[in-house]
Amino acid sequence: MLVGVLLWNPPRPRVGRPTAVATADLIVIRHGRTFMNDHLAQPGKEWGTPGFVDPGLWDTSLTPAGEDQARVLNEQLKLAGVHIDLLVASPLRRALQTADIAFADVRCHAREVTPLAAERCFLSSDVGSPLDELKRRHGPEWGLDSLSDGWWYQADDSQGEWRPPGEYLYAGEPDTAFYSRMRRLLAYLRSKAGGGGCVALVAHWGVIYALTGRSLQNAECITLASTELTAEPFRIPD
């Protein structure tokens, strides 16, 4: 369910109180606005509407407005004086773009991409780009060689269709696969956060909902204590 992408004019990105952000051990950020967000916000083209058609915006990128959101977030993070020990991002283009812009000139000791943080495969926008293409767009500090080609969800037609009636271009990631991945992501984050430093995650609406039970707007930033991470993910509402 793509509830989080239906806002036409999302408000200014929010990072909460600067002191809370600066002292957090886990910062979670949703990517900025994308061309798929814009498409789905048009009347009659929303997710789940009768006659829904996937527009084929593969691995969608940020719009100019989304890039502006990430720049505003960058200003707020610098103002908060955060120091990131590990910046983690989904390998999908919109998350990496947001991370690159939002954390420019922010102190980050290390960066890492993980397919565990990729969005649930709802639409073409959630199918990733090949490794060579990612390496042309993003710097070596991301360690992209850790990825394999075809790192995104690989279609399995045996699972059946769980999405609302419509015309889709790629198989959707079923509950069993997605929530299994979210359990592994929760365990990964618990292993990285809470050791006295700060971990930041740039990910997606569905992933963040599964981790926190909260629906974030584009470029919204929240803080959590690592002890708040549960073993079981929250279920995305139907």
Side-chain angles (χ1 to χ4, degrees):
M1 186 175 184
L2 300 185
V3 172
V5 300
L6 301 182
L7 297 172
W8 180 244
N9 286 311
R12 182 181 176 88
R14 298 185 305 221
V15 302
R17 293 181 294 109
T19 301
V21 175
T23 59
D25 59 2
L26 181 60
I27 298 171
V28 178
I29 296 170
R30 185 185 170 200
H31 63 78
R33 192 167 182 83
T34 71
F35 287 100
M36 182 64 90
N37 293 150
D38 280 357
H39 177 85
L40 295 175
Q42 297 177 64
K45 296 183 178 180
E46 300 94 337
W47 166 267
T49 55
F52 176 81
V53 176
D54 185 332
L57 296 172
W58 303 93
D59 198 9
T60 187
S61 63
L62 298 182
T63 63
E67 293 177 356
D68 286 344
Q69 287 178 320
R71 280 189 281 269
V72 171
L73 184 57
N74 174 250
E75 294 171 3
Q76 295 174 326
L77 290 170
K78 287 190 290 187
L79 181 63
V82 298
H83 181 187
I84 306 299
D85 291 274
L86 177 63
L87 173 59
V88 181
S90 154
L92 287 167
R93 184 178 180 185
R94 56 199 185 269
L96 283 169
Q97 284 181 298
T98 301
D100 281 338
I101 297 170
F103 287 89
D105 299 319
V106 173
R107 292 183 296 169
C108 294
H109 180 70
R111 299 185 181 215
E112 187 172 315
V113 292
T114 175
L116 293 176
E119 180 63 294
R120 183 177 186 178
C121 195
F122 292 101
L123 298 171
S124 56
S125 54
D126 306 317
V127 177
S129 297
L131 179 56
D132 286 348
E133 188 172 339
L134 286 178
K135 290 169 72 173
R136 285 195 298 270
R137 292 173 177 163
H138 304 283
E141 65 273 13
W142 284 110
L144 292 167
D145 284 325
S146 64
L147 298 174
S148 59
D149 275 319
W151 55 264
W152 54 91
Y153 171 70
Q154 295 301 304
D156 181 358
D157 294 333
S158 69
Q159 297 290 334
E161 183 56 80
W162 53 269
R163 296 168 293 186
E167 183 178 318
Y168 299 101
L169 303 177
Y170 195 83
E173 185 177 5
D175 281 3
T176 51
F178 177 67
Y179 290 112
S180 173
R181 181 160 62 87
M182 291 302 97
R183 290 184 192 97
R184 285 179 282 144
L185 178 58
L186 282 162
Y188 166 85
L189 291 173
R190 287 196 302 270
S191 74
K192 299 291 185 180
C198 180
V199 174
L201 171 69
V202 182
H204 309 270
W205 180 83
V207 170
I208 295 170
Y209 193 97
L211 296 180
T212 69
R214 295 174 62 174
S215 178
L216 298 197
Q217 299 166 349
N218 290 116
E220 186 174 354
C221 170
I222 60 173
T223 60
L224 298 170
S226 57
T227 53
E228 295 180 71
L229 295 174
T230 58
E232 283 295 313
F234 292 87
R235 307 289 290 194
I236 296 173
D238 293 331

